[in-house]
Amino acid sequence: MDLFIIGDVHGCFFTYLKLLEQWNPKSEYLIQVGDLIDRGNHSLKTLRLSYEIQVAFKKQTIFLKGNHEQLMQHHLLGKDPFKNWQRNGGTKTLLQFEKEGVDPYHYLSWIKNLPLFWENKKVFISHAGISAEGIDPFLPDDPNGLLWNRQPLKKTDKLQVIGHTPRLDGKPEYIPSANAWNIDTGAYKGNCLTGIKLKKDGSFLEAISVPTDSRDIEE
């Protein structure tokens, strides 16, 4: 099976739907790097769709945890005394849940159990990547860990694929020094949502970018 890896969606539901048209579940694993929620206009719809896709295609889908899912988890568990989630888009997301009459706790178990990474023998995929500076990248609240890192990436024996840090030019970037792809192309900023297709050995096949649908970001 090949890999179809989608970057940070951030509530851009209609853009996400368009990009998902490019996924072939018969021949590709769908892997999403986290940050499904916050910023855009449709966090609930994006979260619900992802959950339903995973239920329908359990063996072909991997949804990873992003720092925004971690923030939401801390908020719902009462571990966010400084309201970090609300200050980073959570207030808007909660209003979307309220408007639709959906209890955000409905998705808490699913969010808690999202993995921090996916890997095979040649590829390592996470939200923010293995930092060259970090000591233990697998600590979910560490600023240099797999959910939060913005330091240069460590070059390992595997191709890394990450999101988290938006590419201001709206183009996915291959970083030769780290043998890594950054595929966060700033969907919520009005750029585009990107997915890349790889062979299971990490060989690049293609990048597909869908311009952000205005319904996802206009107030």
Side-chain angles (χ1 to χ4, degrees), residues 97-109:
F97 274 84
E98 183 179 341
K99 184 177 179 180
E100 301 250 353
V102 176
D103 185 348
Y105 286 90
H106 178 75
Y107 292 101
L108 177 59
S109 178

Side-chain angles (χ1 to χ4, degrees), residues 13-23 208 210-211 213:
F13 174 75
F14 293 101
T15 314
Y16 186 36
L17 273 181
K18 188 69 175 177
L19 185 57
L20 284 169
E21 292 175 6
Q22 302 296 321
W23 174 44
I208 303 170
V210 174
D213 189 306

Side-chain angles (χ1 to χ4, degrees), residues 44 90-104:
L44 171 57
T91 297
K92 183 175 181 177
T93 297
L94 284 171
L95 287 172
Q96 292 167 18
F97 274 84
E98 183 179 341
K99 184 177 179 180
E100 301 250 353
V102 176
D103 185 348

Side-chain angles (χ1 to χ4, degrees), residues 11-152:
C12 293
F13 174 75
F14 293 101
T15 314
Y16 186 36
L17 273 181
K18 188 69 175 177
L19 185 57
L20 284 169
E21 292 175 6
Q22 302 296 321
W23 174 44
N24 184 349
K26 293 182 179 179
S27 62
E28 297 170 333
Y29 289 115
L30 176 68
I31 305 172
Q32 199 279 326
V33 303
D35 280 8
L36 291 166
I37 60 171
D38 300 337
R39 311 296 193 196
N41 291 339
H42 305 288
S43 290
L44 171 57
K45 287 184 173 68
T46 301
L47 190 65
R48 180 164 51 204
L49 174 62
S50 301
Y51 174 82
E52 290 172 351
I53 288 172
Q54 187 151 66
V55 169
F57 298 94
K58 290 180 182 178
K59 295 182 178 180
Q60 299 105 306
T61 57
I62 302 98
F63 289 90
L64 300 179
K65 184 176 288 187
N67 61 303
H68 282 260
E69 283 79 31
Q70 182 78 350
L71 287 169
M72 181 178 180
Q73 174 183 317
H74 282 341
H75 171 83
L76 295 177
L77 292 175
K79 298 180 179 180
D80 186 19
F82 300 108
K83 298 184 177 181
N84 288 325
W85 184 43
Q86 287 99 315
R87 290 189 285 107
N88 285 279
T91 297
K92 183 175 181 177
T93 297
L94 284 171
L95 287 172
Q96 292 167 18
F97 274 84
E98 183 179 341
K99 184 177 179 180
E100 301 250 353
V102 176
D103 185 348
Y105 286 90
H106 178 75
Y107 292 101
L108 177 59
S109 178
W110 188 70
I111 289 170
K112 284 176 62 179
N113 288 297
L114 293 173
L116 293 180
F117 66 93
W118 179 90
E119 65 180 336
N120 64 17
K121 293 180 180 180
K122 296 292 185 178
V123 181
F124 184 94
I125 305 169
S126 66
H127 182 63
I130 297 175
S131 170
E133 305 295 328
I135 297 173
D136 183 354
F138 303 102
L139 297 174
D141 295 316
D142 190 291
N144 291 325
L146 292 177
L147 294 183
W148 295 94
N149 175 55
R150 294 198 193 275
Q151 300 300 317

